[in-house]
Amino acid sequence: MVQDNLEIERKYDVGESTAVPPVEALTGLPGVVGVESPEPWTLHATYYDTPGLALATQGVTLRRRSGGEDPGWTLKLPVGESARQELTAPLGPEGEPVPEELLQPVRVHVRREPVVPVVELRTERRARRLVGPDHEVLATVTDDQVTARPRTRGLRRSSWREWEVELGDGGRDGLLEAAEEVLVAAGATASSSSSKLARALGNRPAPLLHVPEPRRQDPAGHLLRYAVHVHLTHLKEQDQRLRRGLDDSVHQLRIAARRVRAALTSYREELDGDLRRFVRDELRWLGRELGGARDAQVMRERLDRHLEVLPPDLVRGPVRDRVRHELQEQHAEGCAQAMQALDSGRYFALLDHLDQLVADLPGDGVAAEQTAREAAAAAVERERRRVRKAAKAVRRADAPPETDLALHELRKATKRLRYAAESARPVTGKSMRRYAKAVKAVQDRLGEHQDSVVARATLVELSEQARRHGEDGFTYGVLHAGEREQAAPPRRLRQHARSLL
């Protein structure tokens, strides 16, 4: 069974002869009333990665460690300057494969590559626990003598000494700062490496690609590159969260995919047409695969809210149970479909293309001489024209199904306008930031209308299921009528959209 906890620690480089701070200095730290005698441990750790070090490139470590008080498998995911999320699994027999439950969260990085041993570390550790007045562990200070033996070509055997301070369950962030003063006074310096593995790897792997925020006079391709990079990074973060089963990850992953697709559309002059169409089509496919889980979640939350405020005498039969059961079942099926997509070769190929796209941009497109500011203004104006056209279609629609469909298209056009406005912000002033907020407000109104349309269709389906089971369908009709009454008139929604033009 995988366990999940947050590790907050700092590392320090020290010389071989540097003395550990005395007990008197450590007991002077905030809240510390005692220091336990040092425990000597010998730790043996094997670190795993792809041959190209895909995990190390992302600051991720995956290891199998024996010895000490917490042997087992550990996956560490960076979540800040001094913090990492730890996922652990129990130790099995020597030679066991990497547990799938630890590989799954980092599939977005390793994809179809094999994961093999890359470095072995032997650590002679002496650990001192700093305890508070209630005997809780506030922090642990460790003195480590480390020897690294490479298991991959291009690396050398190395050894070093380092100190670590890791917060315990009873520790507070301020304790790290206070401990650092004591350790630095004793001769330590902040570590130049984020982890033991990073130090053992030396100059490998190559650092993460840095994509700077574009400036107004930069080539237009810089703006597209930056937008794709930002949203692709968010997509990978949400992929990782979804594989760990964290809340809202499906929704955020879907948004990230949609934003990448919107950027490729808004700045299409900067990219080869065939590649752009291929990547956009694949992102559209990914959005569909993620849609089932998200739509079921939205409907369940919406109908639950409506049922909560209905008078008890209007709730007849097992309506709540049916809503939750049916939509939870749809959500589970949608999640299974989403995970199947995320584990497919098609998805990994899409990630490969997106990575390569960011690495290769900006190219010499047909509008290469256009500045980023000019390209941003052109993209926003292009999406405004799309909103104008969609608003006209709403005016021409004369029947509810046709009007609902036209409003849905208007919502999508408004969303693209919002994304274009937001992507333009690095090279425009505050006025574009305010405009993007105004567009979002209209998009939210149109989104509420679309959710109401979907809710009404869902209620019809649920009422049919209830009827087949001999249940009272009255409440579904009440909810349906409420959705229709609360829906904003199409004319008003169209006017809101026209206000953006």
Side-chain angles (χ1 to χ4, degrees):
M1 179 179 178
V2 173
Q3 295 184 344
D4 192 335
N5 66 281
L6 187 66
E7 175 193 68
I8 302 176
E9 68 175 15
R10 294 186 183 180
K11 294 177 177 292
Y12 301 90
D13 296 333
V14 290
E16 293 297 331
S17 61
T18 304
V20 175
V23 171
E24 294 77 12
L26 297 176
T27 51
L29 295 174
V32 177
V33 299
V35 179
E36 295 182 356
S37 298
E39 294 186 51
W41 296 326
T42 299
L43 313 175
H44 298 272
T46 302
Y47 286 80
Y48 289 74
D49 208 330
T50 66
L53 302 177
L55 295 181
T57 300
Q58 301 292 328
V60 175
T61 60
L62 173 61
R63 75 174 184 220
R64 182 187 188 276
R65 189 169 74 181
S66 59
E69 61 178 358
D70 57 349
W73 288 90
T74 303
L75 173 67
K76 295 188 179 185
L77 307 170
V79 292
E81 185 175 344
S82 300
R84 290 189 288 179
Q85 200 70 37
E86 281 190 343
L87 306 180
T88 60
L91 204 62
E94 192 71 31
E96 64 178 327
V98 179
E100 181 60 31
E101 57 266 36
L102 296 188
L103 273 180
Q104 188 60 221
V106 291
R107 281 291 178 200
V108 69
H109 302 310
V110 303
R111 300 170 196 175
R112 295 299 191 190
E113 290 291 308
V115 176
V116 296
V118 293
V119 170
E120 290 182 357
L121 295 183
R122 176 189 173 95
T123 302
E124 299 295 339
R125 167 169 291 181
R126 296 178 67 82
R128 293 169 170 82
R129 293 189 182 89
L130 311 184
V131 297
D134 297 324
H135 304 289
E136 74 274 26
V137 177
L138 304 182
T140 301
V141 179
T142 59
D143 180 7
D144 291 345
Q145 186 68 49
V146 186
T147 302
R149 184 169 72 89
R151 293 281 298 273
T152 188
R153 292 181 179 180
L155 301 177
R156 295 181 177 180
R157 189 185 182 101
S158 58
S159 62
W160 66 91
R161 185 183 177 209
E162 68 178 35
W163 291 346
E164 291 182 2
V165 182
E166 180 178 350
L167 280 186
D169 293 340
R172 298 292 181 269
D173 289 344
L175 182 56
L176 286 179
E177 283 70 28
E180 180 165 297
E181 292 184 12
V182 171
L183 298 183
V184 169
T189 58
S191 178
S192 56
S193 301
S194 59
S195 66
K196 289 181 173 64
L197 174 63
R199 181 155 184 171
L201 294 176
N203 293 327
R204 294 185 62 193
L208 279 174
L209 179 67
H210 175 62
V211 179
E213 187 172 284
R215 296 167 298 183
R216 296 183 178 188
Q217 298 304 313
D218 282 343
H222 289 203
L223 188 59
L224 173 59
R225 186 190 196 204
Y226 180 73
V228 174
H229 169 70
V230 168
H231 301 315
L232 178 58
T233 299
H234 185 59
L235 185 151
K236 292 177 181 178
E237 291 171 353
Q238 298 308 315
D239 172 297
Q240 195 169 274
R241 294 183 72 252
L242 175 56
R243 293 174 189 272
R244 293 168 56 198
L246 300 182
D247 290 343
D248 202 37
S249 50
V250 174
H251 179 46
Q252 293 300 324
L253 177 53
R254 194 180 181 196
I255 288 176
R258 191 182 293 135
R259 283 180 177 271
V260 174
R261 183 158 58 92
L264 296 177
T265 301
S266 295
Y267 302 101
R268 54 183 177 268
E269 292 88 352
E270 311 309 318
L271 190 63
D272 171 76
D274 291 339
L275 175 60
R276 185 187 74 248
R277 282 189 290 272
F278 168 76
V279 174
R280 282 178 54 200
D281 288 346
E282 293 303 278
L283 287 166
R284 186 179 291 110
W285 159 78
L286 177 61
R288 288 196 302 268
E289 296 299 300
L290 299 172
R294 173 59 182 168
D295 293 346
Q297 181 185 24
V298 168
M299 281 302 103
R300 175 178 169 175
E301 292 174 355
R302 183 182 185 92
L303 297 182
D304 274 346
R305 287 197 306 271
H306 291 343
L307 284 168
E308 285 297 321
V309 298
L310 268 187
D313 61 317
L314 296 184
V315 181
R316 301 181 183 177
V319 180
R320 288 188 177 87
D321 290 343
R322 178 157 299 284
V323 166
R324 291 171 182 173
H325 172 76
E326 294 297 335
L327 293 178
Q328 182 61 37
E329 196 170 81
Q330 290 180 27
H331 181 262
E333 292 173 358
C335 285
Q337 180 180 351
M339 289 307 304
Q340 186 175 4
L342 295 192
D343 282 334
S344 68
R346 183 175 181 177
Y347 173 63
F348 294 140
L350 170 61
L351 292 176
D352 290 342
H353 277 91
L354 289 170
D355 283 341
Q356 194 60 48
L357 189 153
V358 173
D360 291 345
L361 281 169
D364 296 324
V366 296
E369 295 183 359
Q370 193 177 38
T371 67
R373 183 179 175 84
E374 292 168 342
V380 171
E381 183 55 36
R382 189 181 302 118
E383 300 307 335
R384 280 161 58 94
R385 291 196 296 267
R386 189 182 298 273
V387 170
R388 183 179 293 111
K389 181 179 179 180
K392 289 180 180 178
V394 173
R395 185 183 62 186
R396 291 193 298 266
D398 57 4
E402 184 182 355
T403 301
D404 290 338
L405 181 60
L407 285 169
H408 183 43
E409 292 302 314
L410 178 58
R411 177 201 178 206
K412 291 194 290 186
T414 306
K415 185 181 297 182
R416 282 180 45 168
L417 174 57
R418 171 196 166 193
Y419 290 163
E422 289 178 343
S423 69
R425 284 188 291 188
V427 294
T428 57
K430 294 181 180 179
S431 60
M432 187 62 73
R433 185 176 293 110
R434 291 193 295 268
Y435 182 65
K437 290 182 179 179
V439 177
K440 182 181 183 303
V442 175
Q443 177 198 322
D444 289 344
R445 291 188 179 99
L446 290 163
E448 173 62 23
H449 181 274
Q450 177 62 18
D451 287 348
S452 177
V453 171
V454 175
R456 280 175 258 162
T458 301
L459 287 165
V460 170
E461 294 176 4
L462 291 171
S463 67
E464 286 295 317
Q465 294 173 7
R467 183 183 59 79
R468 288 194 295 269
H469 287 81
E471 299 166 4
D472 193 329
F474 172 79
T475 303
Y476 301 102
V478 171
L479 292 172
H480 190 284
E483 288 283 1
R484 183 173 291 280
E485 288 176 5
Q486 294 172 19
R491 180 179 179 183
R492 186 186 304 165
L493 293 172
R494 177 176 170 274
Q495 289 173 342
H496 285 312
R498 292 282 302 174
S499 70
L500 303 173
L501 307 178

